[in-house]
Amino acid sequence: MKKIAVITSGGDAPGMNACIRAIVNTAWQEGIDIVGYRHGFRGIVEGLSQPIHPDDMRLVSQRGGTFLKSARYPEFQRDDIAIQAAEQLDADGVDALIVIGGDGSFRGAHHLSKFWSKQVIGIPGTIDNDLTGTDVAIGFSTAVDNAVEAIDKIRETAEAMARVFIIEVMGRRAGFLGLHAAIAAAAEAMILPEIDPQPSLGDLADNIRQARKKFPDGSYIVILSENLWPGGVHGLAENLSQATQITCHPCPLGHLQRGGRPNAQDRILATQLGQSAISAILSGSSDMMIGFANEHVVEVPITRTFTRDKPLDQSLVDLQFSLQGVNFTSENGR
Amino acid sequence: MKKIAVITSGGDAPGMNACIRAIVNTAWQEGIDIVGYRHGFRGIVEGLSQPIHPDDMRLVSQRGGTFLKSARYPEFQRDDIAIQAAEQLDADGVDALIVIGGDGSFRGAHHLSKFWSKQVIGIPGTIDNDLTGTDVAIGFSTAVDNAVEAIDKIRETAEAMARVFIIEVMGRRAGFLGLHAAIAAAAEAMILPEIDPQPSLGDLADNIRQARKKFPDGSYIVILSENLWPGGVHGLAENLSQATQITCHPCPLGHLQRGGRPNAQDRILATQLGQSAISAILSGSSDMMIGFANEHVVEVPITRTFTRDKPLDQSLVDLQFSLQGVNFTSENGR
Amino acid sequence: MKKIAVITSGGDAPGMNACIRAIVNTAWQEGIDIVGYRHGFRGIVEGLSQPIHPDDMRLVSQRGGTFLKSARYPEFQRDDIAIQAAEQLDADGVDALIVIGGDGSFRGAHHLSKFWSKQVIGIPGTIDNDLTGTDVAIGFSTAVDNAVEAIDKIRETAEAMARVFIIEVMGRRAGFLGLHAAIAAAAEAMILPEIDPQPSLGDLADNIRQARKKFPDGSYIVILSENLWPGGVHGLAENLSQATQITCHPCPLGHLQRGGRPNAQDRILATQLGQSAISAILSGSSDMMIGFANEHVVEVPITRTFTRDKPLDQSLVDLQFSLQGVNFTSENGR
Amino acid sequence: MKKIAVITSGGDAPGMNACIRAIVNTAWQEGIDIVGYRHGFRGIVEGLSQPIHPDDMRLVSQRGGTFLKSARYPEFQRDDIAIQAAEQLDADGVDALIVIGGDGSFRGAHHLSKFWSKQVIGIPGTIDNDLTGTDVAIGFSTAVDNAVEAIDKIRETAEAMARVFIIEVMGRRAGFLGLHAAIAAAAEAMILPEIDPQPSLGDLADNIRQARKKFPDGSYIVILSENLWPGGVHGLAENLSQATQITCHPCPLGHLQRGGRPNAQDRILATQLGQSAISAILSGSSDMMIGFANEHVVEVPITRTFTRDKPLDQSLVDLQFSLQGVNFTSENGR
């Protein structure tokens, strides 16, 4: 084992830089060189490599984003493109590849492994946290903090003006970010892709009216996962405004959720997973994700990470539904 | 002078609470009682008053929003409503009224003074900072910081993914927030209501293409004031994406700009203005705004604050236009 | 079960307010009243009770500290004082008591249970995180974030001035906070109470000299747990300055580690534990702590939480020792 | 004018990077090259120069510290050292020098000008804000925000535990940081170098006792400038604890005040001053500081900046003394 390559792929996630640092510093002690390709899989195909030395890693852990740059690259599903990547890796003398990214990136990693005989290891880095086999992915915790910090600010103006806000959080097809944000922000309602059936417009409107009746001066916050309601957050706000005759303000949080200094938890997770990825390679693993489950580092077949749906923690879902709006929706049980 | 009333009116602004604290603590030393009406002018009309004592003010300065609640209340333009307010103030024994708010609130204050013979004083509190006669308004500095903190986060993901973002900031009809955010965030372009003529779509598209050519890996950020482009930030992003064939991502910052802990500068300004408002009342002023110009507290006729347009600081506009994108748009002068 | 009492005790921890909210809202649905005693055990003895209703809980989750106030109260070790507390609880008709706090508070809870026949439940709330039987305590995650945010700032000035900083973090007898902060901040060295043997002054000085030789322009940060070195952080800084002839700056982080908005993780944990405490009481548990281990809520005999030493996660200790200063202390393994 | 050199000197201040960006981008348009010397004056003497191009400046504005590194360098007072610097500047073909720093750095700049015939311009960058002729210096506003953010956190734990904290802020011989922090944090007392006479121990103790009597549950915060009380913050805390028999906790804020992302205000100020420094050089100025007074850029003889004492704004001092502790020290005036 002389040279390991690393890429960051798909949507960037805070903590990716700390992960690369752990990879580089660990490999260096083992006498292994690390090379990074910029812009994920596309960078492999285009040969955009750069050697990375521990000296370069002194001050990267606290930075958001990824200094290696990332990219979405759907073309990598094609066999000819993956073969090109395999040839480039061979030409560069790479003995193993570490892919830090989400489910699309892991499909790419697995696809590559059909055409490249060397070891491929995935490290979960996605604010969506939707990879099966790991409790958490790098960037998720920071994204939740980013969202909640923004919602806390919105809560202050909402409270001052007695307003209803519909706040759209990221998550594409997964409600992890929405669920954690809703609990932490003590939201009055949440709408996540995994909830079945979704609350009806009528129920939501009733709830808002009840809240307004009980707390005419108060704020009301709905957390909505993106891509969920017809017309998104603007559609829902309009529907609810009509149904309740109370102005409901749409507020998409947008890309600030993705950026920013990684919090301590993400840096620590990233450091653990980075070091463990080198260990896994040295012990011969391939086509595996290095994840974190029940407070321990685990290895999971990479095909399992994206082929099975990862459910929300039902106890957290129940927790939020049980506590949200308890003071205007239910009677004291006694 | 036995009793002074205070309201916060219009959009809430961080620092309003620190201002109320200064009013209450200053008045108390003079033996004057302070009463607050909740929800701005509407609260006067509806008689929603509460006495405020210094003991209640111990921990409010660091809070965003306004504990007195605010509201927009266009009905107050009507004479009969203003007369009702005047009667309520008299019935409550109020000797003077302090209105913390923006231009709409000051119009309301002036309107009231036609029907109420007692003193009315305005304190500028608006994140738009569009009041003539004061360099700054309470909340403006914090709103700029809130916007720039969000843009810094977006910059990190933009840089990681080599993306173009069109970021919409608040400001309604004034570009102060946009201008300050653009300079502080080192934005590549800005579009503000006061700029005449606006940059054309073609010019903007050219600029983005030049930047992409010079920095294919780099981010590009446009600051756009709200209500400015047809279709807003989504319209501009779509137009630019088409014109450049580079995906331009829309990102409205939304209400988080308005919320959050006031920064130190806003708390200090709010404290100064609050104390000075009491002094102004004691010295007999009325129908005046207590503002801040050239680093000193000033008194300005309230009618002047909203009847004249407040220009942007042209030297700041020139500064941003001169520095933005200098490295891809202009040749080294030598 | 008609009435449950709750106290926050010992050093305050961010997230305690979110925990009380969960307790109150959960109990309310079961028809149980919640009463809070201010200032921990002292408040019970002095009868400082106040009923708490879900309506009071709308906006407390995002606040640091504890609105119920906390206190250290060593007198509670005395039998007569505990008996007084038991009598007060009986006089107030309390059916069960929830104690949110750390090891001293849990000793108090257990002590009380000798003289009071009703149920007593503990919820771990301590930034030291030194309670056996729970992976995390409320407040720990936020305290780590607070520390790391401060260290990130110090890193910037340290880097600008090429300085060595000795940074003292809280933890009394436990190195959890120091360990997590060291990893997240990519510290060059750490000194924790659990490390045996401690690094010698000579080794630390050698390390600093090596770092300075390799990176004459660079910063160097030592994380030191409080109460550990003779003379504390000032003593160590002086010793190292003498030994290395390089000025080493002492920097105790102090109480800002304890304060501040709880992060999302602490609010979620606090909400889970608060709800589970009510469930535990309803299912008849007593003299137990409701903790969190391997990502699940657990019940642990309260006597076990403070009678056994809780070890640091050795894999994290090894991780930090392996990565810290790798670029100036070890040769490339090849 | 072909080549201008820039250094950052003395204690680093957040915003210095944004200032360098403005210098570089402005100069580039004029066809002037910018060269930076690392580590301030020492770097000139040692010839540690590096050319700086606008392309390097894309992402520096939001960073704290100074990428050019800074240093304290008392040796520069010697004539032979200054002559060496002058020779090095000539050897490097430098036509003008910009020094970003505080009073010590400006003394150095003036000292250099005795031995070097080219233009020297100072830009105020110091969190102490103690330079005569400019209302604000780069870094001051951010340092106040850093301090107040930390004090807000300490306020929360102080309030939860009903504690007295003595908080030491930076400032060496100037109370600007302490004064602004005290007002913004609504401190109960402040001790600054400029106040004459200082409050006596007896008065401070009386005040704390009054506060405790009025608010037995409440917090009490004293802001103390560094280097002021015998034994510093620990000495004062001990003296007050003895005098009041109430534990007073010392809390030095330390170097986190200096670090961190510059706030928007400092970035804007830094950008204005950087551009204006180039203009000043092109118009022939030398031995001048480019400052900011009454909301306008001004030029001030550099010798005036450090030879006259800059007073605190007395209206702000009066404001704080008038409002602090009004609710436990004075009677309602009526």
Side-chain angles (χ1 to χ4, degrees):
Chain A
M1 185 64 48
K2 288 187 185 159
K3 189 188 279 185
I4 295 176
V6 60
I7 60 171
T8 47
S9 168
D12 62 301
M16 283 179 161
N17 287 327
C19 188
I20 300 171
R21 169 184 175 261
I23 289 169
V24 172
N25 285 10
T26 305
W28 194 79
Q29 292 172 291
E30 304 287 343
I32 299 166
D33 289 337
I34 295 289
V35 64
Y37 289 95
R38 292 160 70 84
H39 304 291
F41 287 109
R42 178 162 70 77
I44 302 180
V45 173
E46 299 179 4
L48 308 172
S49 68
Q50 61 181 73
I52 316 179
H53 186 271
D55 292 358
D56 310 323
M57 298 293 97
R58 286 182 58 246
L59 300 169
V60 301
S61 291
Q62 60 264 49
R63 304 271 181 249
T66 160
F67 76 89
L68 264 185
K69 307 276 181 173
S70 190
R72 303 196 188 278
Y73 188 53
E75 295 85 341
F76 201 69
Q77 295 167 15
R78 285 165 43 190
D79 290 358
D80 60 325
I81 298 281
I83 289 167
Q84 253 184 281
E87 288 170 353
Q88 183 70 44
L89 289 167
D90 283 337
D92 290 343
V94 172
D95 298 309
L97 174 68
I98 298 174
V99 176
I100 312 173
D103 65 338
S105 307
F106 284 8
R107 286 174 203 271
H110 180 62
H111 187 58
L112 173 67
S113 72
K114 295 182 205 155
F115 307 99
W116 193 54
S117 58
K118 308 287 176 57
Q119 290 162 273
V120 178
I121 290 290
I123 296 179
T126 162
I127 66 166
D128 295 345
N129 200 31
D130 57 352
L131 287 162
T132 301
T134 190
D135 290 342
V136 282
I138 295 167
F140 173 63
S141 177
T142 303
V144 174
D145 271 342
N146 282 341
V148 172
E149 192 180 335
I151 299 168
D152 280 359
K153 288 182 181 166
I154 295 166
R155 175 71 81 176
E156 293 206 80
T157 184
E159 194 65 19
M161 306 290 284
R163 280 189 171 172
V164 179
F165 277 95
I166 320 296
I167 297 178
E168 185 187 81
V169 298
M170 285 185 164
R172 288 188 301 169
R173 296 170 304 276
F176 293 93
L177 184 44
L179 172 58
H180 285 243
I183 297 173
E188 276 75 13
M190 71 175 178
I191 308 177
L192 312 177
E194 294 88 346
I195 308 299
D196 187 22
Q198 293 293 351
S200 70
L201 185 68
D203 288 348
L204 288 165
D206 282 349
N207 200 269
I208 290 171
R209 274 188 298 252
Q210 281 175 290
R212 180 52 51 101
K213 196 172 163 193
K214 179 77 189 291
F215 302 109
D217 279 9
S219 56
Y220 185 103
I221 285 179
V222 182
I223 302 295
L224 171 71
S225 290
E226 62 180 338
N227 299 331
L228 203 53
W229 197 269
V233 66
H234 294 91
L236 178 56
E238 203 177 311
N239 294 347
L240 283 173
S241 297
Q242 273 191 323
T244 59
Q245 293 301 308
I246 298 164
T247 308
C248 298
H249 297 265
C251 194
L253 288 189
H255 284 79
L256 66 90
Q257 295 166 84
R258 191 178 283 289
R261 293 168 62 249
N263 68 12
Q265 194 188 2
D266 268 329
R267 296 190 210 175
I268 295 169
L269 174 69
T271 306
Q272 287 178 289
L273 298 184
Q275 188 189 51
S276 299
I278 297 293
S279 304
I281 288 172
L282 290 176
S283 69
S285 297
S286 189
D287 217 21
M288 305 291 276
M289 173 186 76
I290 307 302
F292 201 75
N294 293 328
E295 297 292 314
H296 290 90
V297 173
V298 293
E299 284 192 32
V300 181
I302 211 162
T303 51
R304 199 181 141 237
T305 66
F306 54 78
T307 50
R308 296 171 46 166
D309 275 344
K310 179 178 177 184
L312 296 179
D313 180 337
Q314 189 60 38
S315 72
L316 288 181
V317 175
D318 293 343
L319 180 68
Q320 171 63 10
F321 279 136
S322 150
L323 297 189
Q324 74 185 14
V326 65
N327 36 359
F328 52 82
T329 55
S330 66
E331 294 299 307
N332 181 309
R334 187 134 46 101
Chain B
M1 186 66 45
K2 288 186 183 161
K3 188 189 280 185
I4 296 176
V6 59
I7 61 172
T8 48
S9 168
D12 61 302
M16 284 178 161
N17 287 326
C19 188
I20 300 170
R21 169 184 175 261
I23 289 169
V24 172
N25 286 10
T26 304
W28 194 80
Q29 292 172 291
E30 304 287 342
I32 300 166
D33 289 335
I34 296 288
V35 64
Y37 290 94
R38 295 160 68 84
H39 304 290
F41 287 108
R42 179 164 68 78
I44 301 179
V45 174
E46 299 178 4
L48 308 172
S49 69
Q50 59 180 75
I52 316 179
H53 187 272
D55 292 358
D56 309 324
M57 297 293 97
R58 286 182 57 246
L59 301 169
V60 300
S61 292
Q62 62 263 49
R63 304 271 181 249
T66 159
F67 76 89
L68 264 186
K69 307 277 181 173
S70 191
R72 301 195 189 277
Y73 188 55
E75 294 86 341
F76 202 71
Q77 296 167 16
R78 285 165 42 191
D79 290 357
D80 59 325
I81 298 280
I83 290 168
Q84 253 185 284
E87 289 170 352
Q88 182 70 45
L89 289 167
D90 283 336
D92 291 343
V94 172
D95 299 309
L97 173 68
I98 298 174
V99 176
I100 313 173
D103 64 337
S105 306
F106 284 6
R107 285 175 204 270
H110 180 62
H111 187 58
L112 173 67
S113 71
K114 296 181 205 156
F115 307 98
W116 193 55
S117 57
K118 309 287 176 59
Q119 290 162 274
V120 178
I121 291 289
I123 296 179
T126 162
I127 66 166
D128 295 344
N129 200 32
D130 56 352
L131 287 162
T132 301
T134 189
D135 290 342
V136 282
I138 295 168
F140 173 62
S141 178
T142 302
V144 174
D145 271 341
N146 282 342
V148 172
E149 192 179 335
I151 299 168
D152 280 359
K153 289 182 180 168
I154 295 165
R155 176 70 81 177
E156 293 207 78
T157 184
E159 195 64 19
M161 306 291 283
R163 279 189 172 170
V164 179
F165 277 94
I166 320 297
I167 297 178
E168 185 188 82
V169 298
M170 284 185 166
R172 290 189 300 166
R173 295 171 304 276
F176 293 93
L177 184 43
L179 172 59
H180 284 243
I183 297 173
E188 277 76 11
M190 71 175 176
I191 308 177
L192 312 177
E194 292 88 346
I195 308 298
D196 186 22
Q198 293 293 351
S200 71
L201 185 68
D203 288 347
L204 288 166
D206 282 350
N207 199 268
I208 291 172
R209 274 187 299 252
Q210 281 175 290
R212 181 52 49 101
K213 196 173 164 192
K214 177 80 189 288
F215 302 109
D217 279 10
S219 56
Y220 185 103
I221 285 179
V222 182
I223 302 296
L224 171 72
S225 290
E226 61 181 338
N227 300 330
L228 204 53
W229 199 268
V233 66
H234 295 90
L236 178 57
E238 204 176 309
N239 294 348
L240 282 172
S241 297
Q242 272 190 324
T244 59
Q245 294 300 309
I246 297 164
T247 308
C248 298
H249 297 264
C251 194
L253 288 189
H255 284 78
L256 65 88
Q257 294 165 85
R258 192 178 281 289
R261 293 168 63 250
N263 68 11
Q265 195 188 2
D266 269 329
R267 296 190 210 175
I268 295 168
L269 173 69
T271 306
Q272 287 178 289
L273 299 185
Q275 189 189 49
S276 299
I278 296 294
S279 304
I281 288 173
L282 290 176
S283 69
S285 298
S286 187
D287 217 20
M288 304 291 276
M289 173 186 76
I290 306 303
F292 202 75
N294 293 328
E295 297 293 313
H296 291 90
V297 173
V298 293
E299 284 191 34
V300 182
I302 211 161
T303 50
R304 200 183 140 233
T305 66
F306 53 80
T307 50
R308 295 171 48 165
D309 275 345
K310 179 179 175 184
L312 296 180
D313 180 337
Q314 190 60 37
S315 72
L316 288 181
V317 174
D318 294 342
L319 180 68
Q320 170 64 10
F321 279 136
S322 151
L323 297 189
Q324 72 183 15
V326 67
N327 36 359
F328 53 83
T329 54
S330 66
E331 293 301 306
N332 183 311
R334 189 137 44 105
Chain C
M1 186 64 47
K2 287 186 183 161
K3 189 189 281 187
I4 295 175
V6 59
I7 60 171
T8 48
S9 168
D12 61 300
M16 283 179 162
N17 287 326
C19 187
I20 300 171
R21 170 184 174 260
I23 289 169
V24 171
N25 285 9
T26 304
W28 194 80
Q29 292 172 294
E30 303 287 343
I32 300 166
D33 289 337
I34 295 289
V35 64
Y37 290 95
R38 293 159 70 85
H39 303 292
F41 288 109
R42 178 162 70 78
I44 301 180
V45 174
E46 299 179 2
L48 308 172
S49 69
Q50 60 181 74
I52 316 179
H53 186 272
D55 292 358
D56 310 323
M57 297 292 98
R58 285 181 57 245
L59 300 170
V60 301
S61 292
Q62 60 265 49
R63 303 272 181 246
T66 159
F67 76 89
L68 265 185
K69 307 276 180 174
S70 191
R72 302 195 190 278
Y73 189 53
E75 295 86 341
F76 201 71
Q77 295 167 16
R78 285 165 44 189
D79 290 357
D80 60 325
I81 298 281
I83 289 168
Q84 252 184 282
E87 289 170 353
Q88 182 71 43
L89 289 167
D90 283 338
D92 291 344
V94 172
D95 298 309
L97 174 67
I98 298 174
V99 176
I100 312 173
D103 65 337
S105 306
F106 284 7
R107 285 175 205 271
H110 180 63
H111 187 58
L112 173 68
S113 72
K114 294 181 205 154
F115 308 98
W116 192 55
S117 57
K118 309 287 177 59
Q119 290 163 272
V120 178
I121 291 290
I123 296 179
T126 162
I127 67 166
D128 295 343
N129 200 31
D130 56 351
L131 287 162
T132 301
T134 189
D135 290 342
V136 282
I138 295 168
F140 173 64
S141 177
T142 302
V144 174
D145 271 341
N146 282 342
V148 172
E149 193 180 334
I151 300 168
D152 281 359
K153 287 182 181 168
I154 296 166
R155 175 71 82 178
E156 293 206 78
T157 184
E159 194 65 20
M161 305 290 284
R163 280 189 170 171
V164 180
F165 277 95
I166 321 295
I167 297 178
E168 184 187 82
V169 297
M170 284 185 163
R172 290 188 300 166
R173 296 171 305 276
F176 293 94
L177 184 43
L179 172 59
H180 284 244
I183 297 174
E188 277 75 13
M190 70 174 176
I191 307 177
L192 312 177
E194 294 87 346
I195 308 299
D196 186 23
Q198 292 293 351
S200 70
L201 185 69
D203 288 347
L204 287 166
D206 282 349
N207 200 268
I208 290 171
R209 275 188 297 252
Q210 281 175 292
R212 181 52 51 100
K213 195 173 163 193
K214 178 78 190 288
F215 302 110
D217 279 10
S219 56
Y220 185 103
I221 285 179
V222 182
I223 301 296
L224 170 72
S225 290
E226 61 180 338
N227 300 331
L228 204 53
W229 197 269
V233 67
H234 295 90
L236 178 58
E238 202 177 310
N239 294 348
L240 282 173
S241 296
Q242 272 191 322
T244 58
Q245 295 300 310
I246 298 164
T247 308
C248 297
H249 297 265
C251 194
L253 288 189
H255 284 78
L256 66 88
Q257 296 166 82
R258 193 179 281 292
R261 293 168 63 249
N263 69 12
Q265 195 188 2
D266 268 329
R267 296 189 210 175
I268 295 169
L269 173 69
T271 306
Q272 287 178 290
L273 298 185
Q275 188 188 52
S276 298
I278 297 294
S279 304
I281 288 172
L282 290 177
S283 69
S285 298
S286 189
D287 217 20
M288 305 291 277
M289 174 186 76
I290 306 303
F292 202 74
N294 294 328
E295 298 293 313
H296 291 90
V297 173
V298 292
E299 284 192 32
V300 181
I302 211 162
T303 53
R304 197 180 142 238
T305 66
F306 54 79
T307 51
R308 296 170 47 166
D309 275 345
K310 179 179 176 183
L312 295 179
D313 180 336
Q314 189 60 37
S315 72
L316 288 181
V317 175
D318 294 342
L319 180 67
Q320 172 62 11
F321 279 136
S322 150
L323 297 189
Q324 73 184 15
V326 67
N327 36 359
F328 52 83
T329 55
S330 66
E331 293 300 306
N332 182 313
R334 187 129 48 99
Chain D
M1 185 65 46
K2 287 188 182 159
K3 189 188 280 186
I4 296 175
V6 60
I7 61 171
T8 48
S9 167
D12 61 301
M16 283 178 162
N17 288 326
C19 187
I20 300 171
R21 169 183 174 263
I23 290 168
V24 172
N25 285 9
T26 304
W28 193 79
Q29 291 172 293
E30 303 287 343
I32 300 166
D33 289 335
I34 295 288
V35 64
Y37 290 94
R38 293 159 70 84
H39 303 292
F41 287 108
R42 178 164 69 77
I44 301 180
V45 175
E46 299 179 3
L48 308 173
S49 69
Q50 61 181 73
I52 316 179
H53 186 272
D55 291 358
D56 309 323
M57 297 293 97
R58 285 182 57 247
L59 301 169
V60 302
S61 292
Q62 61 264 48
R63 304 271 181 248
T66 159
F67 76 91
L68 264 186
K69 307 274 181 176
S70 190
R72 301 196 190 277
Y73 188 55
E75 294 86 341
F76 201 71
Q77 295 167 16
R78 285 167 41 193
D79 289 357
D80 60 325
I81 298 280
I83 289 167
Q84 252 183 281
E87 289 170 354
Q88 182 70 44
L89 289 167
D90 283 337
D92 291 344
V94 172
D95 299 309
L97 173 68
I98 298 173
V99 176
I100 312 173
D103 65 339
S105 306
F106 284 6
R107 284 175 205 271
H110 180 62
H111 187 59
L112 174 68
S113 71
K114 296 181 206 155
F115 307 98
W116 192 54
S117 58
K118 309 286 177 60
Q119 291 162 273
V120 178
I121 291 289
I123 296 178
T126 162
I127 66 167
D128 295 345
N129 200 33
D130 55 354
L131 287 162
T132 301
T134 189
D135 290 342
V136 283
I138 296 168
F140 173 63
S141 177
T142 302
V144 174
D145 271 342
N146 282 341
V148 172
E149 192 179 335
I151 299 168
D152 281 358
K153 289 181 180 168
I154 295 165
R155 176 71 81 176
E156 293 207 79
T157 183
E159 194 65 19
M161 306 290 283
R163 281 189 171 170
V164 179
F165 277 95
I166 320 296
I167 297 178
E168 185 188 83
V169 299
M170 284 186 164
R172 291 188 300 166
R173 295 171 305 275
F176 294 93
L177 184 44
L179 172 59
H180 285 243
I183 297 173
E188 276 76 13
M190 71 174 177
I191 307 177
L192 312 178
E194 293 87 346
I195 308 298
D196 186 23
Q198 293 293 350
S200 71
L201 185 68
D203 288 347
L204 288 166
D206 281 350
N207 200 268
I208 291 173
R209 275 188 297 253
Q210 281 175 292
R212 180 53 49 101
K213 196 171 163 193
K214 177 80 189 289
F215 302 109
D217 280 10
S219 55
Y220 185 103
I221 285 179
V222 181
I223 301 296
L224 171 71
S225 289
E226 62 180 338
N227 300 330
L228 204 53
W229 198 269
V233 67
H234 295 90
L236 178 57
E238 205 176 309
N239 294 347
L240 282 173
S241 297
Q242 273 191 322
T244 59
Q245 295 299 309
I246 297 164
T247 309
C248 298
H249 297 264
C251 194
L253 288 190
H255 283 78
L256 66 88
Q257 293 165 86
R258 192 178 282 290
R261 294 167 63 250
N263 69 12
Q265 195 188 2
D266 269 328
R267 297 189 209 174
I268 295 168
L269 173 69
T271 305
Q272 287 178 289
L273 297 185
Q275 189 189 50
S276 298
I278 296 294
S279 304
I281 288 172
L282 290 177
S283 69
S285 298
S286 188
D287 217 21
M288 304 291 276
M289 173 185 76
I290 307 304
F292 201 75
N294 293 328
E295 298 292 313
H296 290 91
V297 174
V298 292
E299 284 191 33
V300 181
I302 211 162
T303 52
R304 198 181 142 238
T305 66
F306 54 79
T307 50
R308 296 170 49 165
D309 275 346
K310 179 179 176 185
L312 296 179
D313 180 337
Q314 189 60 36
S315 72
L316 288 182
V317 174
D318 294 342
L319 179 67
Q320 171 64 10
F321 280 137
S322 150
L323 296 190
Q324 73 185 13
V326 66
N327 36 358
F328 53 84
T329 55
S330 66
E331 294 300 306
N332 183 309
R334 191 139 41 108

